């Protein structure tokens, strides 16, 4: 039966071993090189830097929408916000996702010319926000944010937790918790969660330090990245050096843009 299917593919679709090898090429280190993704991130960084150097001093009525929301919002620095959320966050997401996959799932293929059959337990790729959530779990983020010291610090807007200054790790776990609390109940997409994360990190001048904390977490990297991924090969250091240039600017980006309209509707009732 398999032979008959193979012959059918060859005669009807004109694809054989070469076509199959080209498809497999996409799953190899050579076929999955990060060069284009890294270049796109660099372009996005330069664009944000250019816009950040001439930020608009006033708020304007904007038609900018996020996640298919079709109602206008009042937005400061509209072009800068668009560049960060649509270009920088997307480019960063794609580079983070290079070679990112779930653990313990088979990606075996049964070669049948161009009718390659993927096994039923083929891996589903993780989103960049998935990786943030995995870090949050590994570092016991829920326990940290539920602690009395953290709740007291949050209530009084303090940078001190349990008598010690807030560390970058504490700030990261708190920010992830805040985004989960605000975006997840309103069923926002993972893209929206990740855009909010990037905006919050830029506002705090901690984008590179937070990403470095994540990529220095060996259990996270070893569990969720394949050996040829950008993160495993470079430690993300080259991208972090470029992203570090954004710390020279003061950002005041809307973290709640994807939920603002829904939140306003909820408050109205």
């Amino acid at each position: 039966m398999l032979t008959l299917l193979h012959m059918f593919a060859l005669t009807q679709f004109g694809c054989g071993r070469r076509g199959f090898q080209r498809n497999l090429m996409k799953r190899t280190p050579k076929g999955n090189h990060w060069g284009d993704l890294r270049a796109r991130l660099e372009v996005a960084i330069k664009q944000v830097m250019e816009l950040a150097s001439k930020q608009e001093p006033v708020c304007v009525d904007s038609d900018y929408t996020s996640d298919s929301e079709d109602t206008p919002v009042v937005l400061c620095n509209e072009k800068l916000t668009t560049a960060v959320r649509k270009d920088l966050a997307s480019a960063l997401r794609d580079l983070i996702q290079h070679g990112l996959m779930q653990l313990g799932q088979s990606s075996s293929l049964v070669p049948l010319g161009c009718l390659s059959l993927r096994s039923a337990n083929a891996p589903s790729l993780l989103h960049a926000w998935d990786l943030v959530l995995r870090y949050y779990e590994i570092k016991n983020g829920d326990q940290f944010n539920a602690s009395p010291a953290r709740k007291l610090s949050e209530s009084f807007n303090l940078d001190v937790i349990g008598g010690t200054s807030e560390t970058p790790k504490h700030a990261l776990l708190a920010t992830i918790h805040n985004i989960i609390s605000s975006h997840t109940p309103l069923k926002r997409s993972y893209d929206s969660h990740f855009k909010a994360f990037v905006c919050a990190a830029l506002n705090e001048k901690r984008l590179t330090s937070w990403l470095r904390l994540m990529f220095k977490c060996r259990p996270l990297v070893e569990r969720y990245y394949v050996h040829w991924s950008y993160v495993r090969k470079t430690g993300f250091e080259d991208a972090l050096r470029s992203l570090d240039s954004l710390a020279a600017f003061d950002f005041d980006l809307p973290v709640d843009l994807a939920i603002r309209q829904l939140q306003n509707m909820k408050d109205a009732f």
Side-chain angles (χ1 to χ4, degrees), residues 84-188:
V84 169
R85 292 179 64 88
K86 287 192 172 181
D87 299 321
L88 178 66
S90 297
L92 181 59
R93 175 203 64 201
D94 291 346
L95 189 57
I96 289 174
Q97 290 176 184
H98 181 267
L100 181 63
M101 62 181 294
Q102 287 184 328
L103 180 70
Q105 292 183 309
S106 171
S107 58
S108 60
L109 291 168
V110 180
L112 286 175
C114 60
L115 294 180
S116 303
L117 302 180
R118 189 181 298 276
S119 63
N121 60 336
S124 56
L125 299 180
L126 292 170
H127 190 281
W129 180 249
D130 278 309
L131 192 72
V132 176
L133 293 178
R134 297 302 189 274
Y135 175 85
Y136 185 77
E137 293 170 3
I138 290 172
K139 297 301 180 180
N140 299 310
D142 278 339
Q143 289 180 247
F144 165 75
N145 284 290
S147 67
R150 170 59 193 162
K151 288 186 175 296
L152 182 65
S153 172
E154 187 177 22
S155 297
F156 291 95
N157 196 27
L158 302 175
D159 291 331
V160 177
I161 300 175
T164 60
S165 298
E166 183 182 61
T167 66
K169 175 185 170 183
H170 291 156
L172 172 55
L173 294 177
T175 297
I176 296 171
H177 171 76
N178 290 339
I179 294 172
I180 293 172
S181 300
S182 61
H183 284 61
T184 303
L186 295 176
K187 302 186 185 303
R188 295 292 80 191

Side-chain angles (χ1 to χ4, degrees), residues 40-55 77 79-91 198 202 207 242-243 245-251 253:
R40 192 158 70 89
L41 177 62
E42 196 67 28
V43 170
I45 291 171
K46 299 298 184 186
Q47 181 184 15
V48 169
M49 289 177 62
E50 181 180 350
L51 292 171
S53 65
K54 48 185 178 183
Q55 296 187 53
N77 300 306
K79 292 181 180 179
L80 177 60
T81 300
T82 301
V84 169
R85 292 179 64 88
K86 287 192 172 181
D87 299 321
L88 178 66
S90 297
V198 172
L202 287 173
L207 181 58
S242 292
L243 288 167
S245 60
L246 296 174
F249 301 95
D250 295 321
F251 291 95
L253 300 162

Side-chain angles (χ1 to χ4, degrees), residues 33-42 89-100 128 215 225 229-231 234 236 238-240 243:
H33 196 268
W34 59 77
D36 290 345
L37 300 177
R38 178 66 183 87
R40 192 158 70 89
L41 177 62
E42 196 67 28
S90 297
L92 181 59
R93 175 203 64 201
D94 291 346
L95 189 57
I96 289 174
Q97 290 176 184
H98 181 267
L100 181 63
F215 296 131
Y225 279 102
S229 65
Y230 178 74
V231 170
T234 71
F236 218 79
D238 178 61
L240 291 177
L243 288 167

